[in-house]
C-alpha cells in the first residue's frame, strides 16, 4: 500500500520514522506524529491545546495530555532530532550549490511574566527595543537557494544563571553555566565541526562581529568569517600598521609591544569610509529579490584590526573591510570585516555578507507558519523540545523545496498543507 503513495508522502513517512528512531521509547512515536501534525496544520496558535484540538477533535483532553508530556517532560534528546533534521536537508541543499556560510543569529520571543525559563528584560529584535523575552542562539547553514537552522540553544541571562531557585523550578541542567551569546554560538560551531560537517565561512551581525574574542577564536580554529561591525570600530588605514616596539635601552627587559603615537594611530571606520576616493565605490548586485534586483554601492579595502594591539608583540593580520553606502544615503549604512581570501571577487564578498537575509526570513517563517514562539511551557526541556520539533518540521519543508528547480518560494508553507504521512494514527482522516 505504501507504494501507492506519492513520492512526497513517502519521503514524509520515512522522515518521521527517522525522527522517531531518536526518541528512545516506542510510546513517543505517536505523540511525535501528533505534534508535527499540529505544527504544520493551519491555525493561528501552535501551543499544545489548540494543536490537540485540530489533530484529534474527538479526544482533545487525552491528546493534550499525551502531547504535553511528550514535549515538556519526556527525556528525549533534542540534539538528536536536530541532527536528523540537519542530515535530511543538507543533501538537497547541495544539489543547488555547497553550503555558502554558517550564519550565527539569535531569535527573541516576547513573553509576559517572569517565570518562563530564560525570560528577562533584554533586547528583543522583534520589537526593536528592550523588553521581556526569551532569546535563542542558533547556527544555520545557508546557500543562495536554501537555509535551515543546524543548532539552537536558549541564552540564559545572568539573572537566571545565578539563581538556584529559578533554575530548579525551570529544570535548567546544573551543567549549564552563564555564557554570553557569542560563546554559545562558538560552542555550536565547534560541535558542528566535530561532527564532520563541511566547513564554511561564518557570518554574523555586529552583535557578534564586534566581539574581538569571537573573531580571534574563529581564526584560531581556521574558520574564515564575514561579520558585521559598528562604525566606531577602529582599524589602521590601508598600508599602515602599529609602530614597532621601542628600541632596547640596555636595562630591564627589552620592549616587546607594538606602539601607537600621536601622529600614527588607528581610525574609526566611519572616518576611513569618508576618506575613500570616489573611485573606491562600485555598484554591486547580489541577488534578485521579490521586489526586483538587489543592488547597492560598496567599497572594500585591506586593513589591520587595531583592537588593543598595543598589548601585542606583533600587529594583527590584515583582512577585508567591506562598506555599504547606498546611493542617496547621507552616510555609509553597514560595515563588515572578513578573513576570506584576498583574491575573492567583490561580488562574492558582498553576496556572502548579505546572505543573512535568508536567516531572518527563516526566523519569520518558523514563527508565522510553525509556531516557534507559541510554546507556553516554562521549562528548559520543553523550550528546547518545542524548538527542535519546529526546526525538524521546517527542515522537511526546506528539503522538499530544495528538490524543485528552481526552488519554490517559501510561500508554499501557507496554508501549511501537510502530506498524509504526518497524520497521527487514530486522527480523523488518517491513513
Amino acid at each position: 500500500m505504501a507504494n501507492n503513495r506519492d513520492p512526497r508522502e513517502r519521503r514524509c513517512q520515512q522522515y518521521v520514522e527517522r525522527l522517531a528512531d531518536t526518541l528512545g521509547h516506542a510510546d513517543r512515536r505517536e505523540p511525535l506524529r501528533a505534534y508535527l501534525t499540529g505544527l504544520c496544520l493551519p491555525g493561528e496558535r501552535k501551543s499544545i491545546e489548540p494543536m490537540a484540538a485540530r489533530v484529534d477533535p474527538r479526544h482533545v483532553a487525552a491528546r493534550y495530555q499525551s502531547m504535553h508530556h511528550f514535549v515538556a517532560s519526556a527525556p528525549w534528546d533534542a540534539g538528536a532530532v536536530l541532527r536528523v533534521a540537519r542530515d535530511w536537508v543538507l543533501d538537497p541543499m547541495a544539489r543547488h550549490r555547497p553550503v555558502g556560510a554558517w550564519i550565527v543569529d539569535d531569535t527573541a520571543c516576547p513573553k509576559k511574566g517572569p517565570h518562563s525559563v530564560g525570560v528577562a528584560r533584554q533586547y528583543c529584535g522583534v520589537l526593536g527595543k528592550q523588553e521581556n523575552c526569551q532569546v535563542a542562539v542558533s547556527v544555520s547553514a545557508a546557500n543562495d537557494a536554501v537555509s535551515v537552522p543546524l543548532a539552537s540553544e536558549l541564552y540564559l541571562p545572568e539573572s537566571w544563571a545565578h539563581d538556584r531557585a529559578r533554575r530548579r523550578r525551570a529544570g535548567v541542567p546544573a551543567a549549564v553555566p552563564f555564557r554570553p551569546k557569542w560563546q554559545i554560538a562558538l560552542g555550536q560551531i565547534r560541535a558542528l565541526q566535530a561532527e564532520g560537517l563541511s566547513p564554511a565561512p561564518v557570518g554574523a551581525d555586529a552583535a557578534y562581529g564586534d566581539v574581538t574574542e569571537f573573531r580571534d577564536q574563529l581564526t584560531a580554529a581556521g574558520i574564515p568569517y564575514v561579520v558585521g561591525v559598528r562604525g566606531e570600530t577602529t582599524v589602521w588605514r590601508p598600508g599602515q600598521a602599529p609602530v614597532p616596539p621601542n628600541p632596547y635601552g640596555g636595562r630591564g627587559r627589552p620592549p616587546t609591544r607594538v606602539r601607537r603615537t600621536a601622529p600614527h594611530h588607528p581610525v574609526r571606520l566611519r572616518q576611513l569610509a569618508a576618506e575613500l576616493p570616489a573611485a573606491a565605490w562600485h555598484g554591486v548586485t547580489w541577488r534578485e529579490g521579490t521586489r526586483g534586483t538587489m543592488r547597492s554601492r560598496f567599497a572594500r579595502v585591506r586593513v589591520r584590526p587595531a583592537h588593543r594591539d598595543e598589548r601585542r608583540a606583533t600587529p594583527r593580520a590584515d583582512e577585508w573591510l567591506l562598506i555599504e553606502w547606498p546611493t542617496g544615503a547621507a552616510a555609509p549604512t553597514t560595515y563588515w570585516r572578513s578573513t576570506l581570501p584576498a583574491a575573492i571577487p567583490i561580488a562574492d564578498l558582498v553576496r556572502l555578507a548579505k546572505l543573512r537575509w535568508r536567516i531572518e526570513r527563516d526566523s519569520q517563517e518558523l514563527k508565522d507558519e510553525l509556531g516557534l514562539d507559541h510554546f507556553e511551557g516554562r521549562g528548559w526541556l520543553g523550550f528546547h523540545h518545542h524548538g527542535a520539533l519546529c526546526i525538524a518540521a521546517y527542515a522537511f519543508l526546506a528539503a522538499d523545496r530544495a528538490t524543485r528547480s528552481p526552488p519554490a518560494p517559501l510561500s508554499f508553507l501557507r496554508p501549511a498543507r501537510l502530506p498524509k504521512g504526518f497524520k497521527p494514527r487514530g486522527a480523523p482522516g488518517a491513513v
Side-chain angles (χ1 to χ4, degrees):
M1 184 173 181
N3 291 334
N4 296 326
R5 296 177 176 176
D6 65 70
R8 187 173 183 232
E9 185 178 337
R10 290 197 298 272
R11 291 196 302 271
C12 180
Q13 183 66 31
Q14 181 185 16
Y15 182 59
V16 174
E17 291 303 320
R18 289 191 186 180
L19 293 172
D21 288 342
T22 72
L23 300 180
H25 201 291
D27 289 347
R28 296 172 190 150
R29 291 176 176 262
E30 183 54 34
L32 168 69
R33 294 174 183 274
Y35 208 93
L36 291 172
T37 300
L39 291 175
C40 292
L41 287 175
E44 291 298 320
R45 289 293 299 173
K46 302 297 176 75
S47 53
I48 299 174
E49 187 170 6
M51 288 198 300
R54 288 190 291 271
V55 169
D56 195 353
R58 299 174 188 171
H59 312 96
V60 175
R63 182 66 69 179
Y64 170 84
Q65 290 294 333
S66 171
M67 293 168 66
H68 182 271
H69 174 77
F70 169 70
V71 77
S73 305
W76 50 272
D77 183 3
V81 167
L82 288 176
R83 285 191 287 274
V84 171
R86 176 199 73 200
D87 293 344
W88 186 267
V89 77
L90 287 180
D91 282 346
M93 284 181 69
R95 293 173 190 170
H96 296 276
R97 61 178 58 191
V99 171
W102 292 355
I103 309 293
V104 173
D105 198 17
D106 51 65
T107 302
C109 300
K111 287 285 183 178
K112 296 180 179 179
H115 302 297
S116 294
V117 62
V119 163
R121 190 170 180 80
Q122 54 193 321
Y123 181 75
C124 179
V126 177
L127 303 177
K129 61 180 181 179
Q130 296 282 323
E131 195 52 84
N132 220 43
C133 63
Q134 295 169 304
V135 176
V137 177
S138 64
V139 174
S140 298
N143 60 26
D144 291 335
V146 185
S147 54
V148 69
L150 303 178
S152 179
E153 182 178 333
L154 179 68
Y155 165 68
L156 198 66
E158 287 189 85
S159 59
W160 272 85
H162 304 311
D163 189 328
R164 293 182 180 179
R166 293 179 91 186
R167 291 177 64 110
R168 184 172 59 254
R169 286 193 296 269
V172 179
V176 176
F178 168 73
R179 291 185 297 166
K181 295 172 189 175
W182 70 267
Q183 288 187 0
I184 296 174
L186 191 64
Q188 292 172 335
I189 291 167
R190 286 171 171 165
L192 293 171
Q193 268 193 314
E195 291 176 14
L197 267 70
S198 299
V202 167
D205 64 16
Y208 296 87
D210 272 338
V211 180
T212 300
E213 191 172 356
F214 177 66
R215 300 193 311 271
D216 286 349
Q217 293 201 32
L218 288 175
T219 299
I223 303 173
Y225 58 74
V226 51
V227 294
V229 289
R230 294 182 174 87
E232 291 74 23
T233 303
T234 58
V235 296
W236 294 93
R237 288 182 175 90
Q240 293 187 357
V243 176
N246 280 316
Y248 181 48
R251 291 186 178 183
R253 294 181 179 178
T256 60
R257 294 179 177 178
V258 297
R259 298 176 293 131
R260 305 173 181 183
T261 65
H264 188 78
H265 55 81
V267 296
R268 293 180 178 178
L269 299 184
R270 295 186 190 281
Q271 179 181 345
L272 178 58
E275 295 173 355
L276 293 176
W281 300 92
H282 306 278
V284 178
T285 298
W286 64 92
R287 69 179 176 92
E288 293 295 325
T290 56
R291 298 182 181 179
T293 300
M294 308 297 290
R295 183 177 177 82
S296 188
R297 265 196 335 157
F298 296 88
R300 64 170 182 169
V301 290
R302 300 290 288 177
V303 297
R304 289 185 186 272
H307 180 75
R308 295 182 178 177
D309 57 0
E310 70 275 16
R311 301 182 182 182
R312 297 169 56 90
T314 58
R316 295 179 181 274
D318 62 353
E319 58 186 43
W320 282 117
L321 168 64
L322 177 68
I323 310 167
E324 181 180 7
W325 191 340
T327 302
T333 56
T334 320
Y335 303 84
W336 296 268
R337 284 165 54 172
S338 176
T339 53
L340 288 165
I344 187 172
I346 187 172
D348 290 345
L349 185 59
V350 169
R351 181 177 56 81
L352 286 170
K354 288 289 190 177
L355 198 54
R356 280 196 72 256
W357 74 272
R358 294 202 59 91
I359 309 310
E360 294 168 357
R361 190 180 72 173
D362 288 346
S363 176
Q364 197 61 48
E365 295 283 352
L366 278 160
K367 291 177 179 180
D368 291 348
E369 308 295 349
L370 297 170
L372 179 66
D373 56 346
H374 294 180
F375 182 64
E376 295 176 351
R378 296 178 175 178
W380 174 273
L381 194 64
F383 178 91
H384 288 90
H385 281 174
H386 175 77
L389 292 169
C390 288
I391 292 171
Y394 192 74
F396 176 81
L397 295 168
D400 185 72
R401 174 179 178 267
T403 61
R404 311 181 189 193
S405 184
L410 284 184
S411 59
F412 83 90
L413 284 172
R414 193 178 295 277
R417 294 181 61 84
L418 192 70
K420 294 177 182 178
F422 265 110
K423 281 283 189 181
R425 297 184 186 92
V431 176

